[in-house]
Amino acid sequence: MKSVILSNAIRIMLPLLLIFSLFLLVRGHDQPGGGFTGGLVAAAAFSLLAIAEGIEKAEKTLRFSTSAIIAAGLLLALSSGLIAVFMGAPFLTSYWLEFEFLYPLKLGTPLIFDTGIYLVVAGVTLKIIFTLMEE
């Protein structure tokens, strides 16, 4: 059963939920949040779209298969740890780069790791939800 109210509301909610999930991802290494919670919010956004418009529309909007999202996340998380190994440090040692734009900006390997976790959590959650909705 298609809900007109939910279909119209998801057009506004989807971009807002995805922006909020990215906010949780970026702020996560200093404060509560991070890749896990951001990934769950992103998965919730696409799950709402699947409920409102159907799985086909959600998968088309997602643009990548859930398996590809999971694989990319695992690759990112692994590569963040291997950076330290190539620098001669133990696996998953953090490295930071500081930039000076309008304010000091620190980017590091924990953000790469959190982005990998974000993709894995979103991909696995969506894979489970889409599979359950198809059956």
Side-chain angles (χ1 to χ4, degrees):
M1 185 168 85
K2 212 169 182 184
S3 169
V4 176
I5 296 171
L6 185 58
S7 294
N8 288 325
I10 196 63
R11 291 183 191 148
I12 297 168
M13 289 173 46
L14 182 68
L16 293 175
L17 285 170
L18 291 177
I19 289 169
F20 181 62
S21 75
L22 291 175
F23 168 75
L24 287 173
L25 168 67
V26 172
R27 122 184 173 161
H29 64 275
D30 288 334
Q31 297 173 352
F36 189 82
T37 54
L40 286 178
V41 171
F46 283 103
S47 297
L48 279 173
L49 181 64
I51 291 169
E53 300 288 335
I55 296 170
E56 297 80 20
K57 171 80 174 182
E59 288 175 338
K60 184 179 175 186
T61 304
L62 191 58
R63 294 189 184 158
F64 297 102
S65 72
T66 54
S67 300
I69 293 171
I70 295 167
L74 288 173
L75 186 64
L76 268 178
L78 178 66
S79 67
S80 73
L82 291 178
I83 290 171
V85 171
F86 290 132
M87 303 285 269
F91 185 69
L92 285 177
T93 300
S94 298
Y95 284 98
W96 299 91
L97 294 173
E98 292 190 36
F99 298 100
E100 193 69 39
F101 290 117
L102 298 174
Y103 60 91
L105 179 65
K106 288 172 55 175
L107 296 176
T109 55
L111 182 60
I112 297 171
F113 181 77
D114 269 350
T115 304
I117 297 300
Y118 176 92
L119 292 173
V120 169
V121 169
V124 168
T125 306
L126 286 173
K127 181 89 163 167
I128 292 168
I129 290 171
F130 288 170
T131 302
L132 289 173
M133 286 182 74
E134 285 174 353
E135 296 178 11

